[in-house]
Amino acid sequence: MRHTSRISATDILIDVRHPADAEQKPLSIPDIQILNIPFFNLEQQLGALDKTCSYLLYCDKGIMSRLQAQLMRDKGFEQVAVYNQIT
């Protein structure tokens, strides 16, 4: 699975953290579309996502985002990577 710390305006960032974690430390990246879809809801939400878009998945440690990125690839999403936020 590809990892990146670069993000472009055409990427859609999916924050897969638990809602309490996302609320405690919200992501804020100017000019980037961020979807808050917890890991436990992502599979049910895949039908609403455009498979032609580029998605970056994020969680604090990278483990859950890596698992969910693989799930998306298995479901036919080709442009998926794990986002590593530089702090």
Side-chain angles (χ1 to χ4, degrees):
M1 184 58 53
R2 184 173 71 90
H3 292 248
T4 186
S5 58
R6 292 181 168 212
I7 190 166
S8 73
T10 58
D11 292 326
I12 298 171
L13 185 63
I14 301 178
D15 185 347
V16 298
R17 296 177 295 167
H18 190 278
D21 295 332
E23 186 177 312
Q24 189 174 17
K25 288 177 53 180
L27 286 178
S28 179
I29 303 171
D31 303 318
I32 297 299
Q33 181 181 356
I34 300 174
L35 302 177
N36 292 300
I37 306 175
F39 65 91
F40 52 82
N41 285 339
L42 184 62
E43 188 168 9
Q44 293 84 4
Q45 299 292 322
L46 290 180
L49 300 178
D50 184 347
K51 288 186 178 182
T52 65
C53 292
S54 176
Y55 295 98
L56 300 177
L57 279 75
Y58 173 78
C59 72
D60 289 328
K61 294 188 166 89
I63 297 166
M64 193 54 65
S65 54
R66 189 168 46 246
L67 291 170
Q68 298 304 306
Q70 186 59 54
L71 169 74
M72 289 183 73
R73 289 182 83 54
D74 292 347
K75 297 291 184 177
F77 290 82
E78 295 180 9
Q79 299 180 71
V80 179
V82 173
Y83 176 66
N84 301 316
Q85 185 178 34
I86 298 175
T87 53

